[in-house]
Amino acid sequence: MFFDDFNYRDLAAFQANGWKARTQTGHPGIKGATWSAEGLSFHSDIPDTQAGAVRMSSVTNGTGEKTRQTQFCHARKYREGTYAARIFFRDEPNSGPDGDEVIQTFYAISPLKAPMDKNYSETDFEYLPNGGWGENAKPAMWTTSWDTFQLEPWTKVNEFSRKEGSYAGWHTLVLTVADKKLIYYVDGQLFSEHSSAVYPEDFMSINFNLWFMPKGADGSQGPVDSPEMREYQEDIDWVFFQEGVALATADVEARVADLRGKKVAHVDNVKEQNPVLPSPCGL
């Protein structure tokens, strides 16, 4: 099992438990954007949390030079089992004009070793409060399970599901990877089921990121036309993984409550592969 209550005072303690902040430039997001730990902060006083949360804050004015995106990642040792997180999504920026096609996420991913790599694995929850990917500007949650892709020319092999509506506020996201199918749940309700054709074949790292969609990405409109800086935020209360079993949301929440009741803020006894797999915090 892996569990983190994100009860940290500083970045050093966060990193000591195996988390990395992305600094690698490149896909996804606005070309030329930076990725850094500057967008990570730790808060003990966030309402409706027991021990606080980690917050991602990303900023842009629509240009790569003035865009800072945020991502953090754990070790690449997760594959079959139950993934879960409790996340606070937002429909509007914390400051500045609204309208950017911003992506708020919880996902697991393996490195893309080569274009159209057949062992590539990725499973995504993605909230788009201002639309994107060629759809309308209405808020929507997406779940996507990937077989593979390549960047140039853009080619993708995946299965996805999209549901319109606001998901602002706290939500518990659960994904089960078992029996050659992927089942996604939001707040205990079935959201989508994806097939064996996109079942993870490689070990993945657990990730969260907050980034801005560029214009033209799958028909997207990209950033709002304004030179003013704006900041978007996403909070994560806790993250959980149980290896080898498909748990219901109620079971996940019961295990998290039990750990918290025992004042356990962090557990990590999911075994590394031998040899330990490289775990770049990037694409």
Side-chain angles (χ1 to χ4, degrees), residues 2 11 17 30 43 60 64 102 125 147 150 164 194 268 281:
F2 172 63
L11 185 65
N17 277 340
I30 294 173
H43 305 265
T60 190
V102 63
F125 283 97
D147 181 36
Q150 66 180 22
E164 280 189 11
H194 297 163
D268 183 5
C281 194

Side-chain angles (χ1 to χ4, degrees), residues 142-162:
W142 295 67
T143 59
T144 309
S145 305
W146 293 80
D147 181 36
T148 191
F149 77 99
Q150 66 180 22
L151 287 174
E152 298 292 343
W154 176 244
T155 307
K156 61 182 180 179
V157 182
N158 63 24
E159 294 179 18
F160 66 89
S161 305
R162 174 182 177 272

Side-chain angles (χ1 to χ4, degrees), residues 27 76 87 158 167 175 203 219 234 254 258 264 273:
H27 181 84
R76 186 158 68 95
I87 298 177
N158 63 24
Y167 286 82
L175 163 65
F203 287 90
E234 175 185 346
D258 180 62
V264 176
Q273 295 302 294

Side-chain angles (χ1 to χ4, degrees), residues 161-277:
S161 305
R162 174 182 177 272
K163 291 187 180 180
E164 280 189 11
S166 174
Y167 286 82
W170 287 110
H171 294 281
T172 300
L173 312 181
V174 173
L175 163 65
T176 62
V177 179
D179 300 323
K180 298 300 179 183
K181 58 188 176 183
L182 302 96
I183 305 180
Y184 295 82
Y185 302 88
V186 178
D187 298 328
Q189 300 299 309
L190 175 65
F191 187 93
S192 60
E193 181 175 330
H194 297 163
S195 76
S196 61
V198 290
Y199 198 77
E201 296 153 313
D202 201 357
F203 287 90
M204 301 177 288
S205 59
I206 289 174
N207 292 248
F208 299 86
N209 67 11
L210 180 61
W211 57 279
F212 301 98
M213 197 177 298
K215 183 176 177 59
D218 273 7
S220 294
Q221 297 302 306
V224 66
D225 186 16
S226 169
E228 186 177 345
M229 294 296 294
R230 49 268 189 195
E231 178 185 59
Y232 290 81
Q233 297 179 336
E234 175 185 346
D235 298 344
I236 304 97
D237 184 13
W238 52 259
V239 65
F240 174 93
F241 174 82
Q242 181 73 56
E243 189 172 33
V245 294
L247 298 175
T249 300
D251 294 327
V252 170
E253 291 176 332
R255 295 187 186 202
V256 170
D258 180 62
L259 289 164
R260 285 177 149 180
K262 296 174 180 175
K263 306 298 183 184
V264 176
H266 179 264
V267 176
D268 183 5
N269 53 32
V270 178
K271 291 182 179 179
E272 297 270 12
Q273 295 302 294
N274 188 12
V276 174
L277 297 174

